Amino acid sequence: MQHLAQVNVARLRAPVDDPSMREFAAGIDSIHCLAAASPGFVWQLRTDDGHGICVQPGEGGPVFVNLTVWRDYEALHAFTYRTAHAAFLKRRSRWFAATPQPSTALWWLPAGTVPAVDDALRRLRHLRTYGPTARAFSLRRRFRPDGTPATRRPPTRAR
């Protein structure tokens, strides 16, 4: 059995404890609790202080790294776009500066595997360099656990 790993990164406009980031910082815990309670949620990166974020220094300022594992794409999609997370996502430009694209990478891993941040960031770099492959793919051009491209809609049958 395979699970879907997801990493997304964004460059913070200011440190998380800056007053301009107050709304974002205040919402982190509730969004992470919502994710954990969502059908199909498997795992989430947690820092020592329990925030569920990993801020790493980078060129141009700190980088917010979100790393999660889901049962499948449908579960990830439902959480991302069909819960209160969607409203949070719409306000992202308040807290994040322009980030090189793509900023999200997906890949399949054996169930029970916990992805490492370094591996997740390597997969994102792979996606940026080579485009979507079975090793690292995007939200729009996905692959199945067997490595074959996933179609967005089932093909229609000719009559």
Side-chain angles (χ1 to χ4, degrees):
M1 176 180 224
Q2 299 281 303
H3 284 154
L4 184 68
Q6 161 302 130
V7 64
N8 64 71
V9 299
R11 191 151 318 281
L12 296 166
R13 290 192 178 277
V16 175
D17 59 356
D18 187 270
S20 66
M21 300 295 285
R22 188 172 294 131
E23 182 184 13
F24 172 73
I28 290 172
D29 286 339
S30 63
I31 294 298
H32 289 299
C33 287
L34 177 63
S38 294
F41 173 85
V42 176
W43 176 87
Q44 178 176 29
L45 174 68
R46 291 282 189 177
T47 59
D48 292 339
D49 59 10
H51 279 283
I53 64 170
C54 178
V55 178
Q56 299 183 342
E59 295 175 19
V63 175
F64 177 84
V65 179
N66 177 41
L67 179 57
T68 58
V69 176
W70 297 83
R71 177 186 63 228
D72 52 32
Y73 176 77
E74 291 73 22
L76 171 61
H77 185 273
F79 163 73
T80 303
Y81 301 109
R82 306 283 184 254
T83 68
H85 178 268
F88 208 69
L89 192 59
K90 286 179 184 176
R91 298 190 308 273
R92 69 183 174 262
S93 65
R94 295 179 187 182
W95 312 303
F96 301 112
T99 303
Q101 295 298 310
S103 59
T104 300
L106 308 172
W107 69 98
W108 294 101
L109 71 168
T113 303
V114 174
V117 173
D118 289 343
D119 180 49
L121 296 176
R122 274 193 298 277
R123 287 179 187 267
L124 180 59
R125 283 191 300 274
H126 180 89
L127 175 61
R128 287 175 175 170
T129 302
Y130 301 105
T133 66
R135 177 169 170 68
F137 48 93
S138 66
L139 295 165
R140 292 185 179 199
R141 293 195 49 212
R142 299 185 310 275
F143 285 74
R144 294 184 188 94
D146 68 4
T148 60
T151 56
R152 292 186 118 188
R153 294 187 186 109
T156 56
R157 297 180 90 161
R159 293 183 188 222

